[in-house]
């Protein structure tokens, strides 16, 4: 049976609970344990698939096709493991299952009630997701005191009763504000969070205090007394330069050993942070800096910018940079600006590279197409992700293949040249308005053209061999193999994750290829037709795009091969 670490948040959301959870998990992994993490999202949505990115940040896609809160992405980036969709539990999922079971008569005539049926379903899901690991960290989303947290707090308390307090510890991650008019760090909101947690019968074993700066002794003592815990269990976690430094900082405080000690567990090995530390220092490095223009649209929320809509792309850029010894400054540019004033395209000359990330719908599309044309004509390194690839094809069709007004049918259903068209399998979903969880989602295999740039990038990174091994493992789980699809016999494959409804229209691939755009990889469908997954312009400095989301397969010690290649050519 795994041991559990339950993490809840106090005071405000958005203080970096997810990255702290990831850091603790990473530390335990370094001590030789197998670790997984569960994210609990107390909202009624079944998953994050239908949530607006500007409200909730990016939607993370798991290998098995889940559309999840972005925290699962952090867990994967720190732990370097594939985390399945069952590691995300929402109120919607729990209630739906209980009600479905009731309708199916599975409760045998009993009254179905909040207690015990809801917490029981939550516990069942926690046990299923944590099975086989040494440790499982459960992050409860939101903030202590939210009404919607109650069933989950009740469930973990009930889990504690079942497995014994020696197998479960509680961590409260809180925030100490420093109001600007008094410039003093305040502990009162934290005291209230401690009290509210106590009202649920939960007493924190550790309190991690997030703040702008290091917490001093006076405040630490205040919290320690108020919570009645050991003084070295109150840990200060001030703002720092990069999230990847958090495990190193927490380890300076010996948090890993303290947690193991609380469980009375001996480390399986000594941590080795040398490689990690080197990469972290590279991120913070003051050496060469490159600038990247991200031409996108999900950035404005009221008066503020929300870069979280592209968190995995931002991270994948950082991973590649850290491994190449440079740092990147990313500028998020609303593509609509190029529609309003074409001369602003010239600003793109000031960047070392241009990324057009994923997106949906028609707004901002023409601006993105213009930016892609600019990158192509001016030999500026370009990376297109999902919609970014589809629009690169639209641009090429219009401006090189003379297909006037070529488009994706997502934007113009009646175009004479539908170079991007809806996947056959998607038509019914759209007609029936079945939007949730119905896209082409999760990991799929692709075969690469051995003469392509994309192939050599995957080969050099080792991913070509690794992904083939991964497939062998997945083959043992039949339903997963069915999802990922078949590859050509005897050919090595790579796997990337997907989230889309449209595809390159096979009716136009020959015409486009004849004009010099290389389709460098494809997915072979069960009916033996090919779905284009990668494109590139062989004569360009770097012009590569993919139907997939390689940003969901990148971590600090294993950067995505496409991002690595892109950043490398940005440096040149
Ligand atoms: N809107 C496009 C599609 O559905 C691209 C999606 C994306 O960029 N994730 O195919």
């Amino acid at each position: 049976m795994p041991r559990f670490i339950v993490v809840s948040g106090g005071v405000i959301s958005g203080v970096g609970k997810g990255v702290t959870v990831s850091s603790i998990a990473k530390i335990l992994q370094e001590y030789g344990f197998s670790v997984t993490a569960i994210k609990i999202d107390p909202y009624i949505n079944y998953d994050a698939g239908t949530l607006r990115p500007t409200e909730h940040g990016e939607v993370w896609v798991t290998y098995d096709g889940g559309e999840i809160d972005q925290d699962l992405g952090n867990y994967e980036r720190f732990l370097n493991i594939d985390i399945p969709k069952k590691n995300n539990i929402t109120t919607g999922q729990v209630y739906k299952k209980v009600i479905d079971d009731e309708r199916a008569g599975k409760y045998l005539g009993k009254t179905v009630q909040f207690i015990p049926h809801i917490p029981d379903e939550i516990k069942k899901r926690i046990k299923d997701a944590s099975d086989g690991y040494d440790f499982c960290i459960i992050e409860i989303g939101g903030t202590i005191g939210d009404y919607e947290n109650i069933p989950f707090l009740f469930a973990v308390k009930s889990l504690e009763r079942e497995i014994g307090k020696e197998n479960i510890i509680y961590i409260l991650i809180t925030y100490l504000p420093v109001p600007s008019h008094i410039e003093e760090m305040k502990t009162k909101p934290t005291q209230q969070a401690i009290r509210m947690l106590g009202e649920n019968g939960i007493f924190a074993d550790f309190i991690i205090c997030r703040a702008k700066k290091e917490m001093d002794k006076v405040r630490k003592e205040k919290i320690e007394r108020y919570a009645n815990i050991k003084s070295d269990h109150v840990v200060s976690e001030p703002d720092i330069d990069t999230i990847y430094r958090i495990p190193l900082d927490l380890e300076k405080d010996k948090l890993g050993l303290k947690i193991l000690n609380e469980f009375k567990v001996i480390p399986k090995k000594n941590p080795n942070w040398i490689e990690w530390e080197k990469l972290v220092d590279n991120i913070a490095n003051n050496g060469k800096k490159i600038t990247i223009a991200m031409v996108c649209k999900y950035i404005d929320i009221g008066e503020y910018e929300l870069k979280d809509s592209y968190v995995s792309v931002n991270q994948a850029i950082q991973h590649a940079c850290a491994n190449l010894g440079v740092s990147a400054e990313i500028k998020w540019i609303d593509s609509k600006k190029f529609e309003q004033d074409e001369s602003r395209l010239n600003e793109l000359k000031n960047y070392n590279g241009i990324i057009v990330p994923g997106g949906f719908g028609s707004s901002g599309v023409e601006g993105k197409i213009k930016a892609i044309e600019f990158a192509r004509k001016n030999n500026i390194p370009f990376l297109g992700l999902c919609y970014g690839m589809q629009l690169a094809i639209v641009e090429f069709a219009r401006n090189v293949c003379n297909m006037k007004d070529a488009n994706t049918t997502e934007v113009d259903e009646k175009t004479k040249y539908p170079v991007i068209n809806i996947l056959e399998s998607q038509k019914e979903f759209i007609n029936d308005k079945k939007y949730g969880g119905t896209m082409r989602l999760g990991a799929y295999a692709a075969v690469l053209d051995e003469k392509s740039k994309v192939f050599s990038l995957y080969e050099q990174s080792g991913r070509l061999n690794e992904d083939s091994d991964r497939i062998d493992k997945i083959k043992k789980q039949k339903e997963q193999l069915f999802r990922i699809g078949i590859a050509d016999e005897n050919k090595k494959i790579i796997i990337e994750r997907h989230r889309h409804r449209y595809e390159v229209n096979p009716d136009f691939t020959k015409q486009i290829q004849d004009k010099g755009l290389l389709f460098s990889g494809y997915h072979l469908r069960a009916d033996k037709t090919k779905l284009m997954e990668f494109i590139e312009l062989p004569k360009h400095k770097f012009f590569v795009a993919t139907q997939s989301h390689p940003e969901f397969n990148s971590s600090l010690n294993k950067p995505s091969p496409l991002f690595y290649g892109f950043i490398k050519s940005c440096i040149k």
Side-chain angles (χ1 to χ4, degrees):
M1 188 198 57
R3 292 178 169 85
F4 293 93
I5 301 172
V6 177
V7 177
S8 54
V11 184
I12 49 169
S13 63
V15 296
K17 214 161 16 123
V19 288
T20 308
V21 166
S22 309
S23 301
I24 294 170
K26 172 82 191 159
I27 291 170
L28 294 174
Q29 207 182 41
E30 275 300 313
Y31 279 103
F33 298 97
S34 66
V35 189
T36 191
I38 295 174
K39 174 73 195 289
I40 288 176
D41 282 309
Y43 44 62
I44 311 281
N45 299 59
Y46 193 82
D47 59 29
T50 55
L51 289 173
R52 190 181 307 134
T54 44
E55 192 166 311
H56 200 77
E58 160 199 282
V59 177
W60 171 262
V61 181
T62 60
Y63 72 94
D64 59 348
E67 296 175 286
I68 316 281
D69 177 278
Q70 47 171 316
D71 278 320
L72 235 61
N74 279 319
Y75 305 162
E76 283 203 19
R77 281 190 277 274
F78 276 72
L79 295 178
N80 246 323
I81 57 170
D82 286 338
I83 297 185
K85 60 181 167 194
K86 66 182 176 188
N87 287 42
N88 178 238
I89 306 173
T90 71
T91 299
Q93 289 166 17
V94 173
Y95 273 84
K96 185 170 187 309
K97 178 71 170 55
V98 170
I99 294 169
D100 285 351
D101 281 356
E102 185 273 332
R103 294 288 80 185
K106 290 194 185 156
Y107 288 100
L108 304 173
K110 276 199 214 115
T111 310
V112 182
Q113 290 178 300
F114 176 71
I115 295 172
H117 300 109
I118 296 298
D120 278 356
E121 179 59 31
I122 297 170
K123 279 192 293 179
K124 207 152 77 198
R125 284 168 183 256
I126 290 176
K127 286 178 192 163
D128 183 32
S130 59
D131 188 36
Y133 288 89
D134 296 327
F135 286 100
C136 173
I137 311 194
I138 305 170
E139 177 186 349
I140 302 183
T143 314
I144 279 301
D146 294 349
Y147 289 123
E148 38 188 28
N149 268 335
I150 293 170
F152 298 100
L153 295 171
F154 195 93
V156 292
K157 200 59 199 164
S158 153
L159 183 69
E160 176 196 314
R161 191 175 47 82
E162 252 178 61
I163 63 175
K165 177 66 187 82
E166 64 280 16
N167 292 313
I168 187 164
I169 67 165
Y170 299 97
I171 299 182
L172 174 67
I173 301 181
T174 175
Y175 191 72
L176 307 185
V178 184
S180 56
H181 61 291
I182 45 170
E183 277 303 323
E184 185 202 331
M185 192 179 273
K186 302 303 270 177
T187 62
K188 184 69 83 193
T190 294
Q191 294 175 26
Q192 276 161 1
I194 294 167
R195 202 196 66 214
M196 278 192 274
L197 196 58
E199 283 167 5
N200 292 282
I202 294 176
F203 300 94
D205 298 288
F206 291 88
I207 299 178
I208 297 181
C209 299
R210 288 276 301 109
K212 227 157 66 174
K213 41 191 178 185
E214 192 78 50
M215 173 175 51
D216 64 351
K217 205 160 157 257
V218 178
R219 300 312 103 194
K220 197 170 167 186
E221 273 172 6
K222 239 186 193 170
I223 293 170
E224 172 196 328
R225 294 233 173 101
Y226 197 90
N228 245 329
I229 64 173
K230 293 178 207 158
S231 102
D232 63 346
H233 283 201
V234 180
V235 178
S236 168
E237 195 195 321
D239 288 353
I240 36 166
D241 51 356
T242 154
I243 55 170
Y244 299 105
R245 200 184 292 288
I246 299 173
L248 301 173
D249 272 8
L250 293 176
E251 266 307 72
K252 275 193 206 136
D253 240 326
K254 298 210 168 26
L255 184 64
L257 286 176
K258 287 178 198 169
I259 289 175
L260 291 176
N261 205 20
E262 195 64 18
F263 281 116
K264 304 200 169 45
V265 169
I266 304 162
K268 283 189 181 165
K269 75 171 186 60
N270 280 330
N272 178 357
W273 293 105
I274 295 170
E275 187 59 23
W276 186 270
E277 216 165 339
K278 203 181 93 199
L279 293 168
V280 170
D281 286 341
N282 278 354
I283 295 179
N285 106 12
N286 306 314
K288 196 174 162 77
K289 197 178 221 144
I290 57 162
T291 53
I292 307 291
M294 186 122 82
V295 181
C296 52
K297 74 166 186 181
Y298 303 115
I299 38 175
D300 300 327
I301 173 154
E303 304 268 303
Y304 297 90
E305 267 192 347
L306 188 83
K307 290 136 198 162
D308 262 11
S309 316
Y310 301 101
V311 59
S312 294
V313 183
N314 303 341
Q315 293 298 319
I317 294 172
Q318 271 202 7
H319 301 152
C321 284
N323 282 271
L324 285 159
V326 294
S327 61
E329 192 184 312
I330 309 169
K331 176 89 178 128
W332 296 268
I333 302 174
D334 188 338
S335 61
K336 290 190 280 299
K337 286 186 184 144
F338 301 132
E339 296 170 4
Q340 289 143 9
D341 178 2
E342 259 192 57
S343 68
R344 292 196 62 175
L345 282 165
N346 278 319
E347 285 171 25
L348 291 173
K349 280 216 168 111
N350 304 331
Y351 295 91
N352 300 101
I354 298 171
I355 293 183
V356 175
F360 295 86
S362 55
S363 110
V365 155
E366 289 303 321
K368 288 181 188 171
I369 293 174
K370 287 202 168 84
I372 296 168
E373 181 184 6
F374 193 86
R376 181 175 60 78
K377 288 186 172 159
N378 292 287
N379 210 20
I380 301 172
F382 165 77
L383 180 62
L385 308 169
C386 203
Y387 215 10
M389 176 186 104
Q390 297 175 352
L391 298 178
I393 288 176
V394 170
E395 189 278 317
F396 195 82
R398 285 184 189 175
N399 300 326
V400 182
C401 308
N402 284 322
M403 299 181 196
K404 193 170 173 292
D405 297 329
N407 218 328
T408 159
T409 53
E410 182 170 357
V411 175
D412 178 5
E413 263 182 88
K414 303 210 171 70
T415 169
K416 198 171 157 203
Y417 302 104
V419 287
I420 306 295
N421 200 3
I422 190 143
L423 280 155
E424 202 48 50
S425 55
Q426 287 289 329
K427 285 183 182 158
E428 250 171 64
F429 294 134
I430 299 282
N431 290 340
D432 298 347
K433 295 207 169 10
K434 286 191 177 144
Y435 296 121
T438 56
M439 279 187 243
R440 180 174 180 250
L441 288 167
Y444 285 95
V447 180
L448 303 179
D449 179 338
E450 294 189 15
K451 289 186 290 297
S452 68
K453 195 177 269 176
V454 171
F455 180 90
S456 63
L457 287 171
Y458 276 90
E459 190 179 43
Q460 282 158 21
S461 71
R463 274 282 296 279
L464 205 57
N465 287 327
E466 273 167 37
D467 283 7
S468 296
D469 290 350
R470 233 151 141 189
I471 279 274
D472 283 340
K473 262 188 230 144
I474 292 167
K475 267 185 194 159
K476 289 179 198 125
Q477 315 167 15
K478 277 215 181 80
E479 82 279 16
Q480 288 306 330
L481 183 66
F482 165 73
R483 287 197 59 270
I484 283 182
I486 43 173
D488 277 358
E489 290 288 315
N490 304 324
K491 284 209 175 130
K492 285 197 170 155
I493 51 95
I494 59 104
I495 25 185
E496 291 290 6
R497 300 182 193 178
H498 295 72
R499 183 171 187 254
H500 64 114
R501 295 191 199 274
Y502 295 78
E503 65 164 320
V504 177
N505 188 339
D507 296 345
F508 293 94
T509 46
K510 181 159 185 327
Q511 256 170 291
I512 293 172
Q513 180 122 297
D514 287 347
K515 290 281 185 188
L517 187 118
L518 177 66
F519 289 96
S520 32
Y522 62 86
H523 168 79
L524 191 67
R525 287 181 276 210
D527 65 3
K528 300 280 177 198
T529 57
K530 292 173 180 175
L531 197 151
M532 293 306 149
E533 292 279 7
F534 295 92
I535 59 163
E536 62 190 77
L537 283 176
K539 290 200 184 104
H540 195 280
K541 191 171 175 191
F542 188 96
F543 192 102
V544 172
T546 172
Q547 184 60 78
S548 69
H549 288 279
E551 67 271 23
F552 295 142
N553 227 321
S554 179
S555 59
L556 191 54
N557 15 34
K558 267 193 191 354
S560 154
L562 293 193
F563 280 86
Y564 188 88
F566 168 70
I567 297 292
K568 205 169 170 183
S569 56
C570 291
I571 299 171
K572 280 186 207 153

